[in-house]
């Protein structure tokens, strides 16, 4: 297990490129199972989650070639049985359900296990797939799915108790593209990653309208064909580096290239409200972020897109931990997603978490301590805290960050951070 030693207190400057979005790449790679023809996907980030997905596609029989950021998939000969050993490593593996059902009429996928960011059921995925004709048998931790009468379009409302579901919307959309008739998804997730998947499917010949709104309509077609697609920029990686700019950059700030301004609205608004400087180029493809002269706390409530993303709340906890005043962060999507706060408290942060809400009283400075990464975004929050802390922070269980941040240590070194990865 690698660890990262971050020597705090060095000002960041310069620029880095943001990678393609992990959370768009995962369902799009799975969607390559929908055609016998070659699919070429560009800007797939080199992170362990995309590697797991590629391993799952290979285990299902697809031929996959990866050359730097470009992945070519050919799924001419695939089977329906996703091996537990691979599926258990990543919850997003359940994205193969929809494509396998559409293509083969059957799928066997393990139930994903527990998850450190909270209860993550799959009831809405199953609700959607059942509504269009899937029969599901649970046995031995597996979901055995068949479509005795083929898939047939239907109207389905996918709203759960915490709002829409991103991967649940993806799964139903991927199953419905080859169903007979029309499927309407009400209360659909509107995240940019859902729109990217819809665009990819449209590129394969699917008929989809309304992606990016809460109502998606899918008219089934007979067959899909190969396509080429470029993944959208990772808005969470960009947001994480924007927070790094606000916390740790010098007066000139740091600049992030290959971003999409439109996807960064909630994060930008909160950084500005907290008193920091955020400047986009005219095209909205680069942004410079610098610390404000009079930073202040703020209140954040996470919400489905276009609200403030749950995947950014841990990073803002780091920012607010060293921002004068009281800040409040409420996570309505994953109310248990506050593991990073206990670790940050070990570095001197003053945070109280209760009932899905963190109340943070900013301190002057954090100080280094050995800390443990518990999940992807929690690890990012610890790295951000370590950049400004006094002394050298040791972040253990670094594999969490490698799941979703492409070459994060190299990017931070480019920006002038002092850190080293210790391989164990
Ligand atoms: N939910 C249900 N039933 C379901 C599915 C979800 O009740 O069948 C609930 C969840 O428990 C949660 C809410 O619905 O309270 C939203 O969860 P969602 O299904 O949207 O999450 P997801 O699709 O499994 C994706 C991202 C997550 C991100 C969430 C929310 C991917 C691969 N994962 O997960 O990203 O936090 O949407 O935006 O796209 C991350 O990148 O660090 C990450 C965890």
């Amino acid at each position: 297990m690698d660890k990262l030693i971050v020597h705090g207190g060095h000002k960041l400057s310069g620029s880095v490129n943001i990678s393609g979005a992990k959370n768009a790449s995962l369902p799009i790679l799975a969607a390559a199972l929908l055609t016998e023809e070659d699919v070429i996907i560009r800007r797939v980030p080199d992170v362990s989650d995309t590697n797991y997905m590629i391993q799952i596609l290979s285990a299902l029989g697809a031929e996959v070639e990866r050359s730097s950021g470009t992945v070519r998939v050919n799924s001419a000969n695939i089977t329906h049985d996703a091996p537990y050993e691979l599926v258990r490593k990543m919850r997003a593996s359940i994205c193969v359900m929809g494509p396998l059902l559409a293509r083969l009429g059957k799928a066997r996928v393990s139930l994903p296990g527990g998850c450190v960011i909270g209860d993550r059921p799959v009831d809405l995925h199953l609700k959607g797939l059942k509504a269009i004709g899937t029969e599901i048998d649970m046995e031995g931790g597996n979901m055995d799915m068949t479509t005795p009468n083929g898939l047939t379009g239907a109207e389905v409302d996918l709203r759960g108790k915490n709002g829409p579901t991103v991967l649940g919307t993806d799964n139903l959309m991927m199953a419905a593209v080859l169903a007979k008739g029309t499927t309407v998804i009400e209360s659909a997730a509107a995240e940019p990653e859902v729109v990217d998947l819809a665009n990819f499917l449209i590129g394969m010949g699917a008929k989809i309208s309304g992606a990016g709104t809460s109502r998606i309509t899918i008219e089934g077609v007979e067959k899909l064909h190969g396509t080429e697609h470029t993944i959208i920029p990772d808005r969470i990686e960009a947001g994480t580096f924007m927070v790094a700019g606000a916390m740790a950059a010098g007066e000139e700030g740091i600049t992030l290239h290959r971003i999409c301004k439109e996807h960064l609205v909630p994060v930008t608004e909160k950084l500005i409200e907290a008193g920091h400087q955020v400047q986009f180029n005219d095209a909205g493809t680069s942004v410079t972020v610098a610390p404000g002269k009079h930073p202040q706390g703020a209140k954040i409530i996470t919400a489905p897109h276009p609200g403030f993303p749950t995947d950014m709340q841990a990073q803002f906890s780091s920012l607010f931990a060293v921002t004068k005043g009281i800040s409040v962060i409420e996570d309505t999507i994953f109310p248990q997603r506050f593991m990073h706060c206990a670790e940050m408290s070990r570095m001197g942060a003053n945070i109280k978490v209760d009932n899905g809400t963190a109340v943070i009283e900013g301190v002057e400075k954090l100080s280094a301590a050995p800390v443990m990464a518990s999940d992807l975004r929690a690890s990012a929050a610890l790295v951000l805290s370590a950049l400004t802390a006094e002394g050298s922070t040791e972040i253990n269980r670094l594999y969490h960050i490698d799941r979703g941040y492409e070459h994060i240590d190299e990017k931070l070194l480019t920006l002038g951070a002092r850190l080293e990865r210790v391989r164990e």
Side-chain angles (χ1 to χ4, degrees):
M1 272 193 246
D2 291 2
K3 58 185 170 192
L4 195 68
I5 316 282
V6 182
H7 310 289
H10 299 279
K11 292 269 182 246
L12 304 185
S13 61
S15 65
V16 285
N17 288 333
I18 293 304
S19 303
K22 168 192 77 105
N23 287 349
S25 301
L26 296 174
I28 287 175
L29 283 166
L33 293 168
L34 283 162
T35 176
E36 295 171 0
E37 296 180 17
D38 274 13
V39 159
I40 292 170
I41 312 165
R42 303 186 203 285
R43 290 199 76 202
V44 175
D46 179 15
V47 293
S48 48
D49 273 9
T50 59
N51 285 324
Y52 291 142
M53 187 54 89
I54 286 172
Q55 285 174 35
I56 291 169
L57 298 184
S58 302
L60 287 168
E63 281 175 24
V64 190
E65 278 168 29
R66 182 176 201 153
S67 161
S68 60
T70 300
V71 179
R72 186 188 68 82
V73 185
N74 182 286
S75 308
N77 297 303
I78 52 165
T79 62
H80 72 288
D81 193 350
Y84 169 67
E85 271 318 301
L86 289 171
V87 171
R88 74 180 173 82
K89 292 186 177 169
M90 181 178 68
R91 190 188 143 83
S93 316
I94 54 174
C95 287
V96 301
M97 293 193 301
L100 288 177
L101 286 168
R103 189 59 205 289
L104 305 175
K106 55 184 177 176
R108 186 164 205 258
V109 181
S110 311
L111 257 176
C115 175
V116 74
I117 69 176
D119 191 21
R120 296 181 79 183
V122 293
D123 57 314
L124 298 170
H125 292 249
L126 303 186
K127 178 183 176 186
L129 296 173
K130 276 183 189 163
I132 61 167
T134 306
E135 289 190 0
I136 301 163
D137 199 13
M138 299 280 190
E139 219 193 286
N142 288 313
M143 298 179 280
D144 264 312
M145 309 189 188
T146 49
T147 56
N149 303 308
L151 294 173
T152 310
E155 221 175 286
V156 196
D157 192 314
L158 280 190
R159 173 168 293 270
K161 68 178 184 346
N162 296 340
T165 163
V166 174
L167 294 180
T169 301
D170 289 349
N171 246 329
L172 181 52
M173 196 159 62
M174 290 188 281
V177 285
L178 291 178
K180 276 187 234 110
T182 303
T183 300
V184 178
I185 310 178
E186 296 285 1
S187 308
E191 269 63 9
E193 294 76 18
V194 176
V195 178
D196 205 27
L197 171 64
N199 287 336
F200 175 74
L201 293 169
I202 291 167
M204 295 172 91
K207 291 194 177 152
I208 301 174
S209 59
T213 73
S214 61
R215 183 185 160 99
I216 301 179
T217 304
I218 305 130
E219 229 182 281
V221 296
E222 276 289 308
K223 224 175 163 37
L224 296 181
H225 51 72
T227 189
E228 293 194 23
H229 182 83
T230 301
I231 299 286
I232 55 169
D234 195 313
R235 66 194 166 103
I236 307 300
E237 187 202 15
T240 304
F241 276 95
M242 287 170 81
V243 174
M247 289 178 74
E251 264 179 38
E252 304 289 303
I254 58 171
T255 299
L256 314 173
H257 298 299
R258 305 184 83 170
I259 53 108
C260 176
K261 176 183 177 184
E262 221 180 288
H263 298 165
L264 292 166
V265 171
V267 166
T268 302
E269 280 174 1
K270 280 297 159 192
L271 282 175
I272 290 172
E273 188 186 329
H276 300 288
Q277 294 168 38
V278 183
Q279 190 71 51
F280 288 90
N281 66 351
D282 288 344
T285 53
S286 291
V287 63
T288 300
V289 181
K293 297 225 171 357
H294 305 289
Q296 56 186 31
K299 179 166 186 185
I300 288 176
I301 303 178
T302 67
H305 191 76
F308 188 93
T310 168
D311 290 344
M312 279 303 302
Q313 61 90 340
Q315 300 87 320
F316 271 76
S317 310
S318 297
L319 173 65
F320 293 152
V322 289
T323 302
K324 215 167 147 191
I326 307 268
S327 298
V328 177
I329 300 183
E330 183 184 347
D331 197 329
T332 59
I333 295 169
F334 294 116
Q336 295 165 44
R337 197 180 198 177
F338 285 101
M339 299 281 275
H340 50 281
C341 293
E343 295 300 305
M344 281 161 51
S345 298
R346 302 190 63 249
M347 300 174 72
N350 187 353
I351 309 181
K352 290 193 177 53
V353 181
D354 187 28
N355 209 9
T357 301
V359 178
I360 307 169
E361 190 173 347
V363 298
E364 191 74 22
K365 237 183 188 345
L366 298 183
S367 49
V371 287
M372 196 88 88
S374 57
D375 73 82
L376 174 58
R377 308 304 170 189
S379 348
L382 294 176
V383 172
L384 291 171
S385 290
L387 288 173
T388 56
E390 214 150 45
S392 300
T393 301
E394 182 182 307
I395 302 167
N396 292 285
R397 300 200 178 162
L398 202 59
Y399 60 89
H400 285 295
I401 210 161
D402 292 332
R403 296 187 66 153
Y405 286 91
E406 187 174 51
H407 311 149
I408 189 163
D409 34 357
E410 287 167 29
K411 289 188 184 183
L412 286 170
L413 285 169
T414 304
L415 294 173
R418 304 271 170 88
L419 47 87
E420 67 247 0
R421 181 184 285 257
V422 179
R423 298 195 186 271
E424 289 196 336

